[in-house]
Amino acid sequence: SQKIEQNSEALNIQEGKTATLTCNYTNYSPAYLQWYRQDPGRGPVFLLLIRENEKEKRKERLKVTFDTTLKQSLFHITASQPADSATYLCALGDGNQFYFGTGTSLTVIP
Amino acid sequence: NAGVTQTPKFQVLKTGQSMTLQCAQDMNHEYMSWYRQDPGMGLRLIHYSVGAGITDQGEVPNGYNVSRSTTEDFPLRLLSAAPSQTSVYFCASSRDWGMQYFGPGTRLTVL
C-alpha cells in the first residue's frame, strides 16, 4: 500500500499570500492524485484531480503540480483569503483503492 | 439532489452491540465507499462497491460488513462493536474512480 505524507505542521499565512501544501508518496506512482478540502465536522469536498501524464492543473486560484520523479504533488492557493482556512487532503488512486494523507491544516490570517 | 446522505449523525454503542450505518446517494453513481477517519491516521478505506451486487474489501475491513442491493444504498454493518471502532465514518460515491462526493459523516463512540 501507499504511504502518503503531508505537511505535518499547521500552516499559517497572511491574507493575499500564496499557500503551498506538499504531498509526498513513497511507493509506485499512482495513475492520478486528488486534492480535497475538509472543514471541521464536515465531509471532504473535491477540489482537483491530476493524472500522471499531467504536470500541472489549474482551477481559479488553485494550482496543482505532479512530479512523478520526486514522488510529490504541490497544491498552491494564490491570493489566499480567510475563507480558505481548512484542512486540505491529498489522495492517491491505485486501481480501486484510495489512500489519503492525514491532511494539512491551513489558517489564513486577515 | 440531496447528494450523499448518512444516518445517524451521532451514535453511542456499548462493546458487543451491533448496528448499521446508513448511506444513500441520489446521483446514480456506480461507485460507493466507506471510510473511517481517526486523528493522525487520515481517511482509511473500509469497503467499497463498483455496482449493485459487487463489494470488495479496502484497507481496514475487519469487523465490518457491507452489501449493495441497490445502486442508491450502501449500508455498513458493525457486527460486534469494539472501542477500537470509535471513529468518524464517511460514505462516498462517484461516477467512476475520479471525483468522490462525501456524506456529512457519522460520529461513532463505542464504550
Side-chain angles (χ1 to χ4, degrees), chain A residues 20-31:
Chain A
T20 298
L21 284 64
T22 304
C23 176
N24 295 300
Y25 58 94
T26 55
N27 291 341
Y28 46 87
S29 285

Side-chain angles (χ1 to χ4, degrees), chain A residues 28 31-32 92-99, chain B residues 31-35 45-51 54-59 94 96-98 100:
Chain A
Y28 46 87
Y32 51 89
L92 275 60
D94 173 21
N96 290 339
Q97 300 266 355
F98 272 100
Y99 299 95
Chain B
Y31 294 75
M32 295 187 75
S33 305
W34 275 103
Y35 295 87
L45 183 64
I46 304 171
H47 285 285
Y48 65 94
S49 170
V50 299
I54 306 167
T55 63
D56 207 345
Q57 296 180 351
E59 190 181 357
S94 59
D96 50 31
W97 284 122
Q100 293 189 82

Side-chain angles (χ1 to χ4, degrees), chain B residues 35-105:
Chain B
Y35 295 87
R36 59 180 288 174
Q37 187 173 38
D38 302 292
M41 298 291 292
L43 283 158
R44 290 181 292 168
L45 183 64
I46 304 171
H47 285 285
Y48 65 94
S49 170
V50 299
I54 306 167
T55 63
D56 207 345
Q57 296 180 351
E59 190 181 357
V60 289
N62 292 341
Y64 307 96
N65 270 358
V66 292
S67 60
R68 184 100 179 267
S69 56
T70 67
T71 299
E72 294 78 20
D73 299 299
F74 191 42
L76 178 73
R77 296 184 193 85
L78 279 68
L79 308 172
S80 177
S84 61
Q85 294 179 304
T86 293
S87 188
V88 181
Y89 291 85
F90 289 100
C91 178
S93 76
S94 59
R95 183 170 52 85
D96 50 31
W97 284 122
M99 175 171 65
Q100 293 189 82
Y101 294 82
F102 282 83

